[in-house]
Amino acid sequence: MDRREFLKQVALWYAGIMTTAPVFRLVPRAMAGTSASPPSGIIVSKGEDYFKITAAVIEKMGGMGRFVKPGAKVVVKPNIGWDRSPEQAANTHPQVVRALVTLALDAGAASVQVFDRTCNEERRCYQNSGIKPELEKIKDPRVKCEFIDERKFVPVKIEGGKALKEWQFYKDALEADCYINVPVAKHHGLSGLTLGMKNIMGVIGGRRGQIHHDIGRNLADLNTVIRPSLTVVDATRLLLRSGPQGGKIEDVSIRNTVLASTDPVAADAYATTLFGQTPDAITSTVAAFEMGLGEMRLEKCTITEV
């Protein structure tokens, strides 16, 4: 089944015409890192101007036009899950989000949606993270910084899933022409770290607590359904302890770093090293690598600093 047929099923289920859950079938592809696959590229930029260093990594990757075509529906998915300020490092930095939204608009996007299924009260999360106020400064009607609509979750059968066979996904995330994943890199009490793979928790429905049992394999299964065109990791500040919620400024380390890759596994693998850990310390990275979703062996990746 190709993506067009899958999205047709999603639309039919959402309209009430089809009663069975849409089926997502993972298309086999060459394992990353084999001789037949190009090396995964990771672009890293450092500096105190977060808008500027985010734009720099995108430019080095060929510009936003490589990912966003004129008229495209774009989703930029940051972490807005917590009622925390930017300084507390529990959410994606608003300047990083604003840079990606601005670049998508400049590339001709028909719409750019920004959303997250929050853990704390959504209005406080959107406002106090600084993301909603920052996006309102753009003053472009194509930008939609919206709360999650619970009616938009669609059950999807995951045929290639090793642990999960069906879960609910947010319709707008499934239907995006370009999905840009923008996690903040931070400590997580259960999974060790929360990076790009775990950021998918913000676009799934159901009882998310169940995902934390065998979390590595569950996250890998979920990430077979929504494959970002681009993963941009916000490591401008690292929450080193008390994650994912944090709250204490003394738990935050300023790193002034943004990195990007089209390979979500490689992006997570590199971000893990910023915490002084090796990529195999994170079970979701290992599970995704074993499923062929990307490369975790950094010696097989090209890493470029700009």
Side-chain angles (χ1 to χ4, degrees), residues 72-287:
K73 295 188 297 182
V74 177
V75 166
V76 173
K77 167 61 181 71
N79 191 314
I80 329 176
W82 303 99
D83 178 12
R84 292 288 186 247
S85 69
E87 293 76 18
Q88 293 170 306
N91 301 305
T92 308
H93 197 283
Q95 283 290 323
V96 175
V97 179
R98 182 180 179 181
L100 293 171
V101 170
T102 300
L103 292 170
L105 294 172
D106 291 347
S111 64
V112 183
Q113 291 177 274
V114 179
F115 50 73
D116 193 12
R117 187 183 177 199
T118 63
C119 298
N120 294 146
E121 199 277 323
E122 58 191 6
R123 288 170 296 179
R124 296 185 64 84
C125 293
Y126 276 50
Q127 187 69 28
N128 293 336
S129 68
I131 291 176
K132 191 172 191 294
E134 195 66 27
L135 295 180
E136 287 173 346
K137 295 177 184 175
I138 299 176
K139 298 186 183 301
D140 190 313
R142 293 177 292 168
V143 181
K144 311 291 183 186
C145 186
E146 302 167 324
F147 302 138
I148 288 287
D149 182 343
E150 296 290 340
R151 297 168 298 181
K152 287 188 175 183
F153 284 106
V154 178
V156 174
K157 290 185 178 179
I158 312 170
E159 283 210 340
K162 303 294 185 184
L164 294 179
K165 297 303 180 184
E166 182 173 324
W167 204 264
Q168 295 180 37
F169 291 81
Y170 201 55
K171 179 172 177 283
D172 293 353
L174 292 170
E175 293 180 337
D177 298 314
C178 176
Y179 184 91
I180 301 174
N181 192 24
V182 199
V184 64
K186 61 178 177 176
H187 171 260
H188 192 286
L190 292 175
S191 61
L193 298 176
T194 171
L195 303 164
M197 304 287 291
K198 194 169 187 308
N199 201 31
I200 200 168
M201 297 286 280
V203 295
I204 63 169
R207 298 174 62 185
R208 293 185 293 183
Q210 296 177 8
I211 299 298
H212 290 104
H213 302 287
D214 195 7
I215 189 170
R217 197 159 298 284
N218 286 338
L219 289 177
D221 287 347
L222 293 171
N223 276 273
T224 65
V225 176
I226 295 182
R227 305 295 308 278
S229 306
L230 178 64
T231 297
V232 179
V233 179
D234 168 19
T236 56
R237 310 131 298 139
L238 301 184
L239 180 61
L240 301 177
R241 293 172 293 276
S242 305
Q245 188 169 5
K248 297 179 179 178
I249 298 298
E250 54 265 35
D251 288 336
V252 177
S253 174
I254 304 298
R255 301 296 178 91
N256 297 331
T257 301
V258 169
L259 64 103
S261 180
T262 57
D263 181 334
V265 182
D268 279 12
Y270 183 88
T272 301
T273 67
L274 301 177
F275 291 85
Q277 302 183 43
T278 55
D280 61 3
I282 306 304
T283 58
S284 58
T285 303
V286 175

